[in-house]
Amino acid sequence: MQFMLLFSRQGKLRLQKWYVPLSDKEKKKITRELVQTVLARKPKMCSFLEWRDLKIVYKRYASLYFCCAIEDQDNELITLEIIHRYVELLDKYFGSVCELDIIFNFEKAYFILDEFLLGGEVQETSKKNVLKAIEQADLLQEC
Amino acid sequence: MHEEVSRGTPDLSYCLADPMRIRRASFPKLQSLRPEVSGFKKAEPGGPGRAGSHGGGGEREGPDEAPTPARPGTRKCWGERSGVETESRMVVTSLKLQDLIQEIRGAKTQAQERELIQKECAHIRASFRDGDPLQRHRQLAKLLYVHMLGYPAHFGQMECLKLIASPRFTDKRVGYLGAMLLLDERHDAHLLITNSIKNDLSQGIQPVQGLALCTLSTMGSAEMCRDLTTEVEKLLLQPSPYLRKKAILTAVHMIRKVPELSNVFLPHCAQLLHERHHGVLLGTITLITELCERSPAALRHFRKVVPQLVQILRTLVTTGYSIEHSISGVSDPFLQVQILRLLRILGRNHEESSETMNDLLAQVATNTDTGRNASNAVLFETVLTIMDIRSAAGLRVLAVNILGRFLLNSDKNTRYVALMSLLRLVQSDHSAVQRHRPTVVECLRETDVSLSRRALELSLALVNSSNIQAMTQELQAFLESCPPDLRADCASGILLAAERFAPTKRWHIDTILHVLTTAGSHVRDDAVANLTQLIGGAQELHSYSVRRLYSALAEDISQQPLVQVAAWCIGEYGDLLLEWSSEETEPLQVEEEEVLALLEKVLQSHMSLPATRGYALTALMKLSTRFHGDNNHIRQVVSIYGSCLDVELQQRAVEYNTLFRKYDHMRAAILEKMPLVERGGPQADEEGKESKAAAQLSEAAPVPTEPQASKLLDLLDLLDGPSGNAQHPPPLDPSPAGTLAHLLDLPCAPPSPEIIQRPSLTTWSSGCLQKKKVESKESTEGPVSLTKHTAKLVDLL
């Protein structure tokens, strides 16, 4: 995976995870263009699109778009599963998660993502283990 | 709205009401779109007013509710915040993170937001300079939020360093997050964290080590990676799976940055493959994949683990059913997909490895049901692997059939990947893909353009001589209703397919006609030339073609390619148009005047392109010889266009006018029926040739006779050249002599045997060119030079 973006239906960025080195300006440009492209899609269209030389996989959950950019040889269908797994993790953590949770607790959203993916690859396939790790880290934060 | 926000001690009574209910009312749940989850509310996100009820304070945590184990930290955060409250009262204007977020969301204009953020950033900067180090992480968190909104935050970079270096876990957590968001290899500052990372990797507690590895794998530059290799390697080897899996993936990143490091990590892979922990295993497979993709030596080295991989996957698919790792009944699809991908790389171009995995692939393909996306993902990867390695034929057919099944899946995404893959396979496994042709054709009706585009490409690739008629029908139906951006491709596709596989010329002409009427404006430029070529060559269909084209033209003169072809045809075969053929199912009674009126209409229409007008004018001119009525009407039109603003038209009109007035005797000869132009021959513009011929003759007239005759021969060359048979002058020359001999007799006298044998000259000898030449006074000398050639013939004989 090259990057993952979360944005609202109004195009406001809620999370950005970049796994490739790009300048701030480039990131902003890519974000702007991609957000525009994805928001222009009609609801019944399929979740994949080709953009520049990347494959974009996106899925909308309520008011949030989850958008990943993968490489040519990556499997699109499994990327959909990755997105879904992340939403499930957020859901378990926040208890029926909604966009507001991610807005007000964006650092937590990052921490959870970092326990699920590392360097753009899946690091842990057990939901239980990911949530356990977050729990332990949260406990540590109290001390 | 702000009244509700509790800046001080949260109002506990508020919490006793169901906080969850209050919160839920404003924001739809992310999970609500999954069909399994029932009873969701589709409430729109609340405006700032409602958001206010969620900001700050205690009702978010709902301490009176049984706190879920997943959020133990939040309770403390609340308490912590109260402690901070006293402090923040001292720095009255600085906001807490949650409050800041809320205020920003409350800003009504962009300017207001900017102002707010600028003020806050000033506070943050001040705090960084001389504020409480314990609060630094909060300040940075605020800065990170502001950064996400798009505002500059580079002054926070040094703070990240300080926080990372701090012993407190809270500091490190935010500090590393900041580093990942604000620092990257373009900034020199990034190297400064290398030391901190090194310390954390070697001496930190597990979570800290985890943070360090995560940061390294996200933004680690080549230098950093080189510096930290030893530490990462050590972590790779220690027992905790939590760290091992992270270390392995960090190694993957390091190898991507510094390929030489492959040598460091390669030796450990064999051992790691024996791991049972899914995370570690997954990381290992990813690592091996990366190594193999980078080095052919590594690829060869890892081929020997193919049996082991096969075993792991087999266990996963058959026995390993761990609920913890499975999705919709598929055991750890992430791991399966990764293994399949590695197998693909190892089996590519390698007979032995491919053979080892054949059975397993068949097993995975058959044992995984196509139902949910997870299983489809695994099947898809399996198909990709089968197609890429040296698999048995039966296996390949199985793979194509899986794709065929995908095409019938109700999920659009599955259909998309199936169409993409089939497109890649259509060349190599044509017959297997052909079996799914009906399903592919069905996909033409997709509402999503990206799907119907792929379906179109695939359909065109599947056309062959046996299905051409059925497919053309489907494609023409599609052409009528398809979205505009696909029209051009569809039209050219149909025309190409028709060209390759047309069963009969008549069918071919019909098809092209249909395409031109449906999508005339989208066809490629050479379609006109191709069609005229086709019609010209099908002599038996001249009558049919001209009728059909006339009818089409009479209905609609807006589709330019159609109009051009029709005009040309009418011009060429106008005489056939007037004849009534008994074999036509719908006999077409056409009067000369009607035809002329139609061509005139084309000439005058504002929809006609200049080129089209040119065609129409020339056609009108040709009809002066084809039709038997007087040519006054035509002469009129031609003379009018002599003063047309369009230069090309004007030139033609003037030349034709001259033809009428001064060279009427040559008119019929010049406006002869065209001989067949060779495809891709020297010149596709027949109109140009005619004009050229006319021009040459009009030049030739005043010049003495000798050149006249040579011009005549030039003309002969012109007419004969494209036919391709008149390669050698000697064969050409006897013919004039031959026909000259019969000159005084009927022009259509039985041609001499030599001429019959040369089909290219048939049209010529049946024409009247020679006759006219002799009748004109200038050509008395003609026979002289020609007899010279006759003499040559005699010599040859």
Side-chain angles (χ1 to χ4, degrees), chain A residues 7-143:
Chain A
F7 50 90
S8 71
R9 276 216 302 267
Q10 285 78 39
K12 292 226 148 162
L13 200 59
R14 299 298 179 207
L15 186 144
Q16 50 174 335
K17 189 75 187 181
W18 298 85
Y19 294 110
V20 287
L22 289 165
S23 73
D24 246 359
K25 212 160 96 174
E26 282 168 320
K27 287 183 191 169
K28 282 215 179 96
K29 183 157 181 268
I30 291 175
T31 307
R32 200 176 42 234
E33 281 177 27
L34 199 50
V35 166
Q36 236 173 6
T37 312
V38 172
L39 288 177
R41 304 270 290 182
K42 298 195 211 49
K44 288 295 182 189
M45 294 180 96
C46 74
S47 291
F48 312 129
L49 61 102
E50 268 145 40
W51 183 80
R52 299 198 184 176
D53 58 341
L54 293 169
K55 295 203 276 198
I56 305 292
V57 180
Y58 73 94
K59 190 140 187 226
R60 188 175 138 217
Y61 286 84
S63 55
L64 259 188
Y65 282 89
F66 287 70
C67 185
C68 298
I70 56 175
E71 273 133 7
D72 223 24
Q73 62 269 38
D74 291 331
N75 183 333
E76 290 100 323
L77 298 179
I78 206 74
T79 311
L80 279 176
E81 287 301 321
I82 291 177
I83 292 177
H84 190 69
R85 175 53 67 87
Y86 182 43
V87 174
E88 281 180 334
L89 290 167
L90 291 169
D91 194 56
K92 213 52 201 293
Y93 182 80
F94 288 108
S96 260
V97 68
C98 60
E99 189 186 344
L100 215 50
D101 292 317
I102 299 181
I103 296 171
F104 281 93
N105 298 284
F106 69 95
E107 340 83 87
K108 295 279 169 30
Y110 276 106
F111 297 151
I112 296 171
L113 184 62
D114 287 338
E115 286 296 333
F116 175 44
L117 302 177
L118 199 82
E121 309 285 341
V122 177
Q123 67 174 286
E124 181 57 69
T125 55
S126 154
K127 250 191 292 193
K128 202 171 73 177
N129 287 350
V130 174
L131 294 166
K132 210 164 37 164
I134 297 286
E135 211 179 293
Q136 287 181 341
D138 282 346
L139 277 168
L140 265 181
Q141 219 169 309
E142 300 183 22
C143 314

Side-chain angles (χ1 to χ4, degrees), chain B residues 152-210:
Chain B
H154 38 265
F155 58 89
Q157 285 171 6
M158 292 320 256
E159 301 315 305
C160 296
L161 269 72
K162 291 188 200 156
L163 284 169
I164 291 171
S166 152
R168 290 175 58 203
F169 182 70
T170 315
D171 286 347
K172 281 188 193 288
R173 223 181 179 190
V174 181
Y176 274 120
L177 179 62
M180 286 192 273
L181 290 174
L182 300 178
L183 289 172
D184 63 47
E185 49 191 60
R186 289 146 195 278
H187 305 113
D188 293 326
H190 84 279
L191 287 169
L192 297 171
I193 64 173
T194 313
N195 228 20
S196 299
I197 294 185
K198 192 179 275 206
N199 288 338
D200 283 338
L201 284 179
S202 25
Q203 297 154 16
I205 51 171
Q206 263 200 26
V208 169
Q209 289 170 308

Side-chain angles (χ1 to χ4, degrees), chain B residues 138-159:
Chain B
R138 293 185 186 288
Q139 303 299 335
L140 186 64
K142 282 193 280 186
L143 186 60
L144 292 177
Y145 182 77
V146 159
H147 174 252
M148 182 150 64
L149 293 177
Y151 295 89
H154 38 265
F155 58 89
Q157 285 171 6
M158 292 320 256
E159 301 315 305

Side-chain angles (χ1 to χ4, degrees), chain A residues 62, chain B residues 28-43:
Chain B
K29 298 295 157 285
L30 261 58
Q31 285 278 56
S32 57
L33 284 185
R34 274 290 253 228
E36 303 92 79
V37 177
S38 55
F40 60 91
K41 290 192 208 100
K42 263 202 175 127

Side-chain angles (χ1 to χ4, degrees), chain B residues 632-747:
Chain B
N632 285 332
H633 192 169
I634 299 176
R635 293 180 77 129
Q636 239 179 347
V637 175
V638 166
S639 62
I640 290 174
Y641 276 85
S643 42
C644 173
L645 283 175
D646 182 276
V647 176
E648 169 71 25
L649 268 183
Q650 192 189 99
Q651 181 179 358
R652 288 184 190 217
V654 166
E655 284 172 7
Y656 295 155
N657 230 355
T658 317
L659 207 54
F660 266 126
R661 283 192 280 112
K662 284 205 254 172
Y663 303 102
D664 207 36
H665 49 277
M666 292 192 212
R667 188 163 44 86
I670 291 168
L671 299 173
E672 255 279 295
K673 280 219 172 92
M674 296 297 304
L676 193 60
V677 181
E678 227 172 50
R679 178 73 63 92
Q683 225 279 71
D685 181 11
E686 291 115 9
E687 317 308 311
K689 269 214 305 289
E690 282 186 358
S691 309
K692 205 163 68 162
Q696 277 193 322
L697 280 172
S698 35
E699 287 165 13
V703 166
T705 50
E706 211 32 55
Q708 160 85 42
S710 61
K711 286 279 190 255
L712 168 66
L713 287 171
D714 289 345
L715 189 60
L716 301 178
D717 280 344
L718 274 174
L719 289 177
D720 256 18
S723 317
N725 289 337
Q727 303 297 338
H728 326 284
L732 179 62
D733 298 339
S735 329
T739 36
L740 268 178
H742 301 286
L743 230 36
L744 298 171
D745 306 328
L746 300 164

